[in-house]
Amino acid sequence: MKILVGFFALSIASLSFANANAKFSERKLGNGLLLLTSAENNNITNIGVLEVGNKVILIDPSPGKDRLRELEEIIRKSYEISDLHILNTHGHSDHSGGNDYFLALGATINEADFSSLETYPVISHSSSDKIFYHIESNTIFTGDVFSTNWHPTFYAGGVDGFVHAIDTILKVGRENSLVIPGHGEPAGKDVVKAYKESTLRWIERVGVLQKAGKTVDEMLLDRKLQRILRSLNFTNRPQFLPRSAEVRFVERTIAILDQAGDS
């Protein structure tokens, strides 16, 4: 699965025209789609600019406050700001934090349907997740429902919400659709399938260890659980997660299991 992520990264990189000093990586994916990636505090947010009919759609314009002017300048090279329609995969500030900036310049937040852009509401990472499928470029924007550089964060929808959201990604578009996560490198549907399988195995293993009376620290020493965690490291980073994130992932998984048990 890591090879597949690398293949898509290489394919996209060959279309990139960012210079070494730029704060953005600009990737032209064809058929009216521009993918912008910006980093702030090592947190990568994928931003989409789509041409849909005679409209321009800006997805998740949140590169950080100090980069909004540069994002504006990039967009102005090809588009009229007053023609922008903003869409967010969800309301968290790392995805919607630039909304007000572009609204002040004349953009609008438009939840209406657009030709060649399909919207699928789900509940997984947040209570208002949206998955966008751009038909012309065969590209799926998932927000934080799916990630290739972090552990799953399915805390709003629980296990059922997670499964429904991932299955939605797998059902829309085509088998060779490019899937753009909220954070991390784009990937193919094979990686999304592996992400689902590993997450469900993680939840099951945490449940087994919880019933055995293991503490969080003891769970993180479990070899099976660590193997599952490593299987979520699709970009093969030397250190996938800091210790604090591993602890939080276990704790939140336990909370989800407890909620399911109480229902």
Side-chain angles (χ1 to χ4, degrees):
M1 295 307 171
K2 295 180 179 66
I3 295 174
L4 188 57
V5 175
F7 169 77
F8 277 111
L10 181 60
S11 298
I12 295 170
S14 66
L15 299 172
S16 176
F17 56 90
N19 63 63
N21 296 319
K23 297 177 182 177
F24 283 91
S25 172
E26 306 175 38
R27 305 172 181 184
K28 286 186 174 180
L29 302 183
N31 294 297
L33 171 58
L34 174 66
L35 177 64
L36 303 172
T37 301
S38 176
E40 182 173 278
N41 298 325
N42 297 318
N43 186 24
I44 307 301
T45 300
N46 290 321
I47 301 169
V49 186
L50 313 174
E51 292 180 274
V52 179
N54 61 350
K55 297 179 174 64
V56 179
I57 312 299
L58 181 58
I59 298 178
D60 288 348
S62 187
K65 292 182 179 179
D66 62 330
R67 296 181 174 94
L68 285 168
R69 180 60 184 272
E70 185 184 355
L71 176 58
E72 176 194 347
E73 291 173 353
I74 290 172
I75 294 172
R76 283 189 185 278
K77 288 188 299 186
S78 302
Y79 311 105
E80 290 291 333
I81 294 291
S82 59
D83 290 337
L84 283 180
H85 298 263
I86 298 171
L87 294 176
N88 298 119
T89 57
H90 61 294
H92 294 167
S93 62
D94 59 328
H95 292 260
S96 63
N99 286 10
D100 289 344
Y101 180 90
F102 286 98
L103 290 175
L105 295 175
T108 61
I109 294 181
N110 196 334
E111 295 292 342
D113 291 333
F114 297 96
S115 62
S116 78
L117 183 68
E118 300 174 353
T119 304
Y120 299 87
V122 295
I123 299 174
S124 181
H125 174 74
S126 80
S127 60
S128 59
D129 293 319
K130 291 183 178 68
I131 295 166
F132 300 116
Y133 174 56
H134 185 223
I135 298 171
E136 293 179 0
S137 64
N138 191 28
T139 304
I140 303 169
F141 284 81
T142 71
D144 290 350
V145 167
F146 168 64
S147 175
T148 56
N149 74 341
W150 199 250
H151 64 77
T153 53
F154 47 87
Y155 309 128
V159 179
D160 290 344
F162 169 78
V163 171
H164 176 255
I166 297 301
D167 285 348
T168 298
I169 296 170
L170 294 173
K171 288 175 183 176
V172 304
R174 301 192 288 274
E175 189 59 32
N176 66 340
S177 294
L178 181 66
V179 183
I180 299 178
H183 308 275
E185 285 291 339
K189 285 192 174 181
D190 284 353
V191 177
V192 179
K193 292 174 185 176
Y195 181 82
K196 174 186 175 182
E197 293 169 1
S198 291
T199 302
L200 294 179
R201 287 192 293 118
W202 167 274
I203 295 168
E204 180 182 14
R205 186 60 183 168
V206 169
V208 169
L209 295 172
Q210 182 185 23
K211 288 179 180 178
K214 300 294 185 181
T215 66
V216 171
D217 287 338
E218 289 170 338
M219 289 183 187
L220 287 172
L221 292 174
D222 181 73
R223 292 183 179 180
K224 289 185 178 179
L225 196 67
Q226 281 295 325
R227 280 199 297 271
I228 295 169
L229 189 61
R230 288 195 295 272
S231 73
L232 288 163
N233 183 10
F234 295 106
T235 52
N236 201 25
R237 292 161 59 185
Q239 182 181 0
F240 177 40
L241 298 173
R243 173 72 176 186
S244 59
E246 292 184 354
V247 170
R248 187 168 60 250
F249 188 25
V250 172
E251 291 175 341
R252 291 185 174 178
T253 304
I254 292 172
I256 290 294
L257 291 170
D258 288 343
Q259 290 172 9
D262 293 338
S263 61

